[in-house]
Amino acid sequence: MMERVRFPEGLELSRVIYGMWRLCDDPDTSARHVQAKIEACLEQGITTVDQADVYGGYASERLFGDALRRAPGLRESLQIITKCGIIAPVSRHRRARVKHYDTGKSHIEASVDHSLKLMGIDYIDLLLIHRPDPMMDARETGAALDGVVASGKVRAVGVSNFRPHDRSLLQASMRNPIVTNQIELSLLAHKGFTNGDVAHWQELGVPIMAWSPLGGGALVTGGAGAGLGSCLEAVSKRDGVDPAAVAVAWLLAHPARILPVMGSNAIGRIRAFSDAFRVTMDRETWYELYSAALGHEVP
């Protein structure tokens, strides 16, 4: 069985999350094919899916919703994450003059309602503010997030790409806890382990999520560099898995309880997500990979 992670507010997510960032990039965007991807996740205990209103030019939530409408029984097996706050001048925001962020009350409320409608669901399990907003009024944003939880439209709220000071500012104006942060973490984006980002959430005892855990695919397409690539390959051969599984296992081994957000449109690759749990990741193996990623041994 897939490990599950408990969050504040009674939220429980699968340790690996299926990310739908590139759902619209698949040549086959039919509800049948999206349903097949979801079912491939559920077969391995991956019950949590990650969306955002802006994904696919504001079209990804609708594609996901089409699959749920085709197979409505899937909803009760899933925990659905989505995000709001980015205004890109396309689709329903095509009249925007510039890409920008909006964390105001009216935008958050409208985004929640729109996401619920597109996905055809009654509530969102976890709503994230997608990016730190330099124009954020923390009192207004905090009250809006508390409000959507009180309404029953959202079970819990979190943030994405926030630094510790961004979280502290927003949390100070909220009744409900900020239950997670989704940040970029991988063998190629490892600064979070030393710049305080991961340590901050460990101190709070709150699990975090890692987007792009395969470095945008570079960790499996040869873009990681010869040293790291060779190290990944050696471990993958030892344990009989793909190098992608090794890269994900490296994150899973960290005591911060990191939840990798895995994205793929290939059913075969989706079915292999849980291979990461077959990797033996002891401390020395972890540091072998980390040193290869740094390009030198640790001081």
Side-chain angles (χ1 to χ4, degrees):
M1 282 292 291
M2 173 71 62
E3 178 186 350
R4 301 190 64 75
V5 180
R6 287 187 173 274
F7 289 76
E9 303 302 285
L11 188 66
E12 188 176 283
L13 307 181
S14 55
R15 183 67 190 275
V16 172
I17 297 170
Y18 180 44
M20 294 186 164
W21 176 32
R22 297 196 180 279
L23 196 65
C24 295
D25 295 344
D26 194 332
D28 185 354
T29 58
S30 67
R32 175 196 58 78
H33 190 51
V34 176
Q35 178 186 343
K37 297 175 191 178
I38 298 167
E39 290 173 343
C41 288
L42 292 174
E43 287 168 5
Q44 23 184 348
I46 299 172
T47 62
T48 307
V49 297
D50 179 74
Q51 272 283 354
D53 59 355
V54 73
Y55 287 172
Y58 300 98
S60 184
E61 287 180 322
R62 177 183 57 77
L63 292 182
F64 176 48
D66 288 344
L68 295 181
R69 283 181 279 272
R70 185 176 192 270
L74 289 176
R75 174 60 181 109
E76 63 188 32
S77 300
L78 298 173
Q79 301 83 49
I80 298 173
I81 303 167
T82 197
K83 312 176 195 71
C84 69
I86 297 178
I87 308 291
V90 297
S91 187
R92 67 177 184 263
H93 295 300
R94 60 186 176 278
R95 296 186 185 280
R97 298 194 309 275
V98 63
K99 185 178 182 181
H100 62 283
Y101 305 141
D102 189 343
T103 52
K105 179 176 184 291
S106 60
H107 179 73
I108 290 172
E109 291 175 345
S111 293
V112 166
D113 287 342
H114 210 85
S115 292
L116 291 172
K117 180 180 179 181
L118 289 177
M119 291 187 284
I121 58 178
D122 297 325
Y123 65 93
I124 295 162
D125 292 278
L126 177 59
L127 176 72
L128 308 181
I129 297 296
H130 205 151
R131 292 273 178 180
D133 176 9
M135 280 284 288
M136 181 179 72
D137 180 333
R139 291 186 179 86
E140 180 180 354
T141 302
L145 293 173
D146 284 337
V148 294
V149 172
S151 73
K153 296 177 181 179
V154 173
R155 285 185 59 196
V157 292
V159 293
S160 181
N161 300 296
F162 271 45
R163 299 301 311 280
H165 52 270
D166 297 313
R167 182 213 68 90
S168 298
L169 173 64
L170 181 56
Q171 186 66 84
S173 295
M174 294 181 62
R175 297 189 305 274
N176 291 282
I178 295 172
V179 303
T180 194
N181 189 19
Q182 188 178 119
I183 61 175
E184 184 179 12
L185 280 177
S186 73
L187 277 161
L188 293 180
H190 47 71
K191 290 183 179 179
F193 291 109
T194 54
N195 69 3
D197 286 346
V198 173
H200 175 74
W201 293 88
Q202 280 185 275
E203 181 181 3
L204 296 172
V206 176
I208 57 175
M209 302 174 188
W211 63 263
S212 199
L214 300 180
L219 289 169
V220 293
T221 59
L228 179 54
S230 296
C231 195
L232 285 166
E233 189 66 31
V235 179
S236 72
K237 287 181 177 179
R238 182 197 70 191
D239 289 351
V241 297
D242 188 272
V246 179
V248 174
W250 186 80
L251 292 172
L252 292 172
H254 196 276
R257 292 185 296 163
I258 297 164
L259 288 77
V261 181
M262 301 293 293
S264 179
N265 284 317
I267 298 289
R269 286 195 176 276
I270 292 171
R271 289 191 173 124
F273 284 168
S274 56
D275 284 354
F277 295 95
R278 295 168 48 199
V279 177
T280 301
M281 189 60 62
D282 57 29
R283 183 176 289 267
E284 284 194 271
T285 303
W286 197 93
Y287 271 98
E288 284 174 346
L289 290 160
Y290 182 50
S291 299
L294 291 173
H296 54 79
E297 67 178 13
V298 295

